[in-house]
Every structure is written in structure tokens, then in C-alpha cells.
Amino acid sequence: MQNVKVGLIPAPELPTEVAEKLLNTLPEQFNKFIDSSVSFEVALNIDPMTGAAENVEEILYKASDLKERKGWDYAICLTDLPIFTEGYVVAADVSVKHGVGQISIPAFGSMPIKRRLKKAIVQLFGELYFQSSSSEESTSGMAQGAIRPNRNQTAFRLLKKQFPISPVRRIEDDGDSEIDIRFIVVPRINGRSRILIGMAHANRPWGIMPSFKKVIALAFATGAFGLIFPTLWQLSNLFTNLRLITLTVIAITGMVVWIVLAHNLWEKPAYRNKRKLRNLYNNATLITLIAAVMMYYVMLFALFFIAVVIFIPPAFFKEMAFLNEPAGVIDYLRLSWLSTSISTIAGAIGAGLENEELVRNITYGYRQKRRYQEVQQYD
């Protein structure tokens, strides 16, 4: 039985995590959907180049060189590089002449990333496998229901299914480009929204809060101290919902802005960075921090709600807050809401005191950290 070796080359961090989860399932998927007459062997090679290069061709050349050195027949890169062509977001590239494919993970948005990427990898490999002249002899042994070697159907069919809201268009390059086939997301606005969400997902905002234990402790201590006095109780009864919502927005916005300014997370113009990419990374940073601070806010809210329910009797709450009847769940929720907003502002000050390198490491994904280092080097 013929043995076909496929190299999977992910960038560090999120792409690597996804690749490691998919590694053992891909040979079976290739046999099922592509060719049952051969034995597929999938190898993993984590390469920082895939997560550091800003140029698509540079990544493809690197992957092609690695493919030759490792003795693979094909290679597929998983990169966190946002790729554009003529204003459109690129989901995947295929270089038939090099036997290399590339998938841009940010183009897939957020969850469920593993399942969607698995299908995309299978389809992209099908494009490579059937477009290469060396595989034409193997098509007679294709599995039932396998992808047919049709230039218009191979990767396009299932890749399209991974973008139900944003249609995918398959384009071919007959010029001198190293890229033979591209899959772009249309319309442009859908692709940009999806890639921003994908970049923020690559930054893993859920991983920020565990590193902010001291900030959460400071914020909770501040709010708990404020709850000793009846002023907050009375204000929670007097404030309208609109005022509470406004205070929440101010608190979250203030904390995000303070973290960005205090830790120099806003990428400034430099001769090496392009304005379009710079704005994209800055917006991704904002989305990452907003998501993280909202998680932080919900966590604090839950802590305060538990605290006030346990320690403040309903009758005493009624007396001190001048309520018309004993405090109910809504009253406790409003008090927790107000306490959370006020303590979030205090938490912002605590976040500003955290180590700058620590904050940058937990806020940025691998690519943004490399990009920041390069900007600082040439600034």
C-alpha cells in the first residue's frame, strides 16, 4: 500500500493546540473522504516562522523547504496571520507547485474552531492531493463518497460550509504568483468582522483573568468595604436601570482604556508596520480586553451577589435602604450590580500596577507579541 506523508505546520499557541487535538484523527479522515487505497501518515512540526512572518509567500516558501527536508509529500500550515487580497479576507491558500496549503485561523472566527478546522484541513488537503500530478494514479482507489479531483469542487464544497453567514469564493491565479488557488470570504465587511473575532479568540481573553488574581482581590475588597456603609444600599434603590447601565459601561470602558494606556498595548505608527494591519491588531486588542473585562465583571458580580445575600438580612436591608417592603432578589441584584461597577473602577487602578510584561504576555497572542517586539526594535 502506498504511503503518503503529510506535514502539519502550526504556529505556536492556539494553532498548535488545535493541531495537537486533530493530529490523530486526520489519517482516518483522509482515508474516509479522500483516498482509501493509500496509507496516510500525518506529522506535526511546530514552527515559529508560521506565527511570525507577515508575508504569505514567505510562509509558503518556509513550509515548502521544511517539507523537502522532512521528506513529506504535502504540507499544510495553520497560521494566525490575517491574510487579505484586494480588500477581501483570505480563508485558505493552495500552492500546487509546492504541494503546500495554508489556512488562516482568524478567518474562521471563534467557536467551534476545532470541528471547523478539521473539515477545512481535509478539504484543503483534497485540493492538494488531486491537483498534483503525482496523485492522479491514486484516484481509482478513492473511498466511496470521496472528494472528486475537480478543480471547482475539491476544497470549495466543505470550506464553504464553514462560513454559513459569510460566503466563500474560490479564485485561481494563472499568473506568476506562488499561490495557485485562494478562498476568500465575501462580502468584505463580513470577512473583516469574522477576522477581528478570530484574532481576539487567538489572544485567548479567557486566560487573562487568572493572572489578575490580585486585581480581583483588590476590587472585591474595595466593594466589600463600601458595603459596610448604607450609602450603596440607598443608591442601589434610587438609581434607575439606565443609570446603572451607564455606570457599567463607564466602569468597563475605563478599565480597558487604563490597561491599554498603563501597559502600552496600543501599537503606534512605525515605518515597518502598515496602517491597515496596525489598526486591525489594535482593534483585536480592544476586543480581547473588552471580553476579558466583561468576564471579570461577571465574576465580581457573582461574588458580590453571594456576599450580600448571605450577610445582609432582608429586613435590615429594607430599613437602611428605605425600601417599602423587605428586600427581594431584585434589590440584592441591584446592590450587587452597583457594587461591581464601583469596584471595577478600583480594579482598573490595580490592573495598572501589574507588571507590564506580564500583562502583555497574557493579552497578546504569539503573533502580536512578535509584532510588538519588532515594532519596539525598529521604533
Side-chain angles (χ1 to χ4, degrees), residues 323-344:
L323 302 176
N324 296 324
E325 55 187 24
V329 174
I330 299 299
D331 298 302
Y332 283 111
L333 287 172
R334 290 172 63 84
L335 177 57
S336 304
W337 188 359
L338 178 60
S339 301
T340 303
S341 296
I342 292 175
S343 61
T344 296

Side-chain angles (χ1 to χ4, degrees), residues 69-320:
R69 287 191 285 110
K70 295 287 185 178
W72 299 333
D73 298 294
Y74 305 95
I76 297 177
C77 301
L78 299 181
T79 180
D80 53 1
L81 172 68
I83 304 173
F84 295 90
T85 180
E86 298 179 355
Y88 290 99
V89 171
V90 177
D93 293 313
V94 175
S95 176
V96 177
K97 60 176 71 73
H98 292 295
V100 175
Q102 176 174 256
I103 294 176
S104 174
I105 292 181
F108 287 75
S110 56
M111 309 299 284
I113 198 74
K114 176 185 171 183
R115 176 175 57 82
R116 295 166 64 200
L117 277 176
K118 179 172 70 173
K119 293 181 179 180
I121 290 171
V122 171
Q123 293 302 306
L124 200 67
F125 177 61
E127 185 85 44
L128 281 169
Y129 186 75
F130 290 123
Q131 294 292 342
S132 63
S133 58
S134 62
S135 65
E136 291 179 356
E137 297 176 0
S138 303
T139 58
S140 60
M142 286 189 298
Q144 185 177 1
I147 306 165
R148 296 293 169 182
N150 185 316
R151 290 183 68 87
N152 296 320
Q153 296 298 328
T154 50
F156 182 69
R157 182 164 48 86
L158 278 187
L159 262 176
K160 184 177 181 180
K161 291 183 180 180
Q162 309 316 310
F163 298 84
I165 299 176
S166 307
V168 174
R169 181 184 302 164
R170 183 185 191 276
I171 57 175
E172 298 184 20
D173 193 329
D174 297 326
D176 299 328
S177 174
E178 296 297 323
I179 300 169
D180 301 297
I181 303 165
R182 279 198 140 157
F183 299 91
I184 62 173
V185 182
V186 292
R188 288 185 174 93
I189 188 170
N190 286 18
R192 289 181 180 277
S193 301
R194 182 181 289 272
I195 208 166
L196 268 176
I197 295 172
M199 291 173 69
H201 181 258
N203 287 340
R204 297 181 292 187
W206 58 87
I208 295 178
M209 285 304 107
S211 301
F212 270 25
K213 294 176 183 177
K214 291 186 290 185
V215 177
I216 295 174
L218 173 63
F220 184 73
T222 302
F225 180 77
L227 286 172
I228 295 175
F229 306 99
T231 305
L232 282 182
W233 308 9
Q234 296 163 5
L235 288 176
S236 69
N237 180 41
L238 294 174
F239 279 7
T240 63
N241 289 337
L242 178 60
R243 189 179 292 272
L244 287 172
I245 292 172
T246 303
L247 189 58
T248 298
V249 172
I250 291 173
I252 292 176
T253 303
M255 187 169 189
V256 169
V257 171
W258 181 252
I259 292 174
V260 170
L261 295 179
H263 299 290
N264 196 27
L265 298 181
W266 194 259
E267 185 176 321
K268 300 178 179 64
Y271 84 93
R272 278 181 60 88
N273 60 16
K274 298 179 181 179
R275 179 182 177 183
K276 182 178 179 179
L277 275 179
R278 184 177 70 248
N279 291 339
L280 195 65
Y281 280 108
N282 282 335
N283 289 332
T285 298
L286 285 180
I287 294 174
T288 302
L289 287 174
I290 289 171
V293 172
M294 288 179 69
M295 295 177 197
Y296 160 95
Y297 191 93
V298 170
M299 185 185 304
L300 270 182
F301 179 86
L303 290 174
F304 279 122
F305 181 72
I306 293 171
V308 297
V309 168
I310 292 176
F311 293 108
I312 303 178
F316 188 58
F317 193 173
K318 172 191 174 183
E319 179 182 350
M320 300 305 294

